[in-house]
Amino acid sequence: MSTTPPPAPSAAVGEWHGGRITERALCVLAPNPSPMTLDGTNTWVLLEPGATEAVVIDPGPLHEGHLRHVVAEVEALGARVGATILTHGHADHAEGAERFAELTGAPTRAVGRGHDDLADGDVVRVGGLELRVVATPGHTSDSLSFALPADSALLTGDTVLGRGTTVVAHPDGELAAYLDSLERIAALTGGGAVTSILPGHGPVVPDASAMVAFYRVHRAERLEQVRQALADGASRAPDVVQAVVERVYADVPREVWPAAAQSVAAQLEYLRARG
């Protein structure tokens, strides 16, 4: 169990419903709550004041009602969707992208989708809105975050959540990359470029610096707990990953143990690579 408490979430379980968050950001909450998706997937609608073209971040699962709801929210703002962007390819964020493109006629951009790939440092401009791409691999190899400088906000997908901590989805996810990504975000928060986080799940994070500091400490503590579990005998178990999960994640509901096992596998790989 972590000895460092996380910052209090801006909305308790069951009290996050999305809505208008900043001058430019509106959250439409997908109806897919679960232990892994928290309240559901946050689909973000970004629109520069007075503009008529919006950016949609993560249309979410293939749920016709949700996708049409997002389109209706954009139209209610007097705009149309000019571009759709994916933080990463997991189904709860990206499964609905193809159908959403059919509904809107807007291009979809992400890592690894062909000629329109996004890369670290790219600047996306739609309808006067400016987003800067921040590569944040680790949760997955294709994870991106997006800085919204005008609102001093960072859209983080699953890299930083609004409540709890995220999974390093081994084998595609990789812990060393994730730790580096946290350092990158910490630098943005420490320099004042980012003050709030608009996550892929859970409520908005009003104190980005505090949340990222907690994430970094949490990861260090988990690694130490894994080392201790190995020393206590888990390394000799037939299933080392499961043995570590049972020791280190004993305080976590069993329904999320499969996800915990992914993170443990990533932690073991990290420790092996460092001797």
Side-chain angles (χ1 to χ4, degrees), residues 30-51:
N32 62 333
S34 75
M36 292 303 299
T37 61
L38 305 181
D39 312 81
T41 299
N42 292 333
T43 295
W44 291 97
V45 175
L46 308 178
L47 182 69
E48 190 69 19

Side-chain angles (χ1 to χ4, degrees), residues 11 31 34 36 42 49 78 98 114 119-120 128-129 135 137 149 157 164 167 170 175 180 193 221 226 265:
S34 75
M36 292 303 299
N42 292 333
E98 184 175 349
D120 184 56
L129 185 86
V167 173
H170 183 80
L175 184 57
D180 287 345
E221 290 181 343
V226 170

Side-chain angles (χ1 to χ4, degrees), residues 85-183:
I85 300 178
L86 305 179
T87 61
H88 64 296
H90 279 170
D92 57 317
H93 295 259
E95 184 186 36
E98 184 175 349
R99 174 57 179 152
F100 194 67
E102 293 174 354
L103 292 172
T104 64
T108 302
R109 303 189 67 184
V111 168
R113 295 182 65 89
H115 72 281
D116 213 19
D117 285 3
L118 292 173
D120 184 56
D122 284 353
V123 177
V124 178
R125 295 182 177 89
V126 176
L129 185 86
E130 181 177 298
L131 285 174
R132 185 164 62 84
V133 179
V134 182
T136 49
H139 168 69
T140 59
S141 61
D142 64 345
S143 289
L144 298 174
S145 295
F146 299 94
L148 182 57
D151 287 345
S152 300
L154 185 71
L155 295 104
T156 54
D158 282 358
T159 300
V160 178
L161 305 179
R163 187 187 303 113
T165 56
T166 197
V167 173
V168 178
H170 183 80
D172 180 52
E174 197 260 324
L175 184 57
Y178 185 75
L179 295 176
D180 287 345
S181 292
L182 290 182
E183 292 290 336

